[in-house]
Amino acid sequence: MAEMLEHDALATAEAWRAAGRKVALATVVETWGSAPRPVGSHLVIDEEGNFEGSVSGGCVEGAVVGEALELLESGATKMLEFGVADETAWRVGLSCGGRIRVFVEPVA
């Protein structure tokens, strides 16, 4: 099932780019403890905020989409980290107690 989700997200990125849409790809690059999605999970975001795939769920994905929209404007990349150890834990954290790092990049 996880492979199917990953294939669909990457296929979506390719299709959206082929249609002329600006696209960013978010990838889970590291996890600690209990994390909802494994390393290599993808979330694809377009310039209108449409997204497909998953890097975590809930508030974390909302934050990733927001960052991706800013990066699509600038063309920059960014490493994001979410977990219960930081001061934003209750706002954008992982209720399961884990931590994840997500790399977000525009797709050229």
Side-chain angles (χ1 to χ4, degrees):
M1 174 93 171
E3 290 179 24
M4 179 68 113
L5 288 172
E6 300 313 314
H7 173 73
D8 289 344
L10 296 177
T12 297
E14 183 177 18
W16 287 358
R17 283 295 301 142
R21 295 157 76 172
K22 290 184 178 178
V23 175
L25 180 65
T27 304
V28 176
V29 295
E30 198 166 5
T31 66
W32 294 270
S34 179
R37 299 287 296 144
V39 170
S41 297
H42 297 291
L43 179 68
V44 179
I45 306 99
D46 77 1
E47 75 271 20
E48 295 182 4
N50 298 302
F51 61 93
E52 185 168 310
S54 178
V55 291
S56 177
C59 297
V60 169
E61 285 187 352
V64 171
V65 169
E67 291 283 348
L69 292 174
E70 291 180 20
L71 296 174
L72 282 172
E73 290 296 318
S74 70
T77 63
K78 191 169 189 178
M79 184 70 72
L80 306 173
E81 186 170 329
F82 301 96
V84 296
D86 62 45
E87 58 204 32
T88 61
W90 295 107
R91 186 166 37 107
V92 183
L94 297 174
S95 59
C96 55
R99 293 175 44 194
I100 62 171
R101 293 180 77 192
V102 178
F103 185 70
V104 186
E105 59 190 323
V107 177

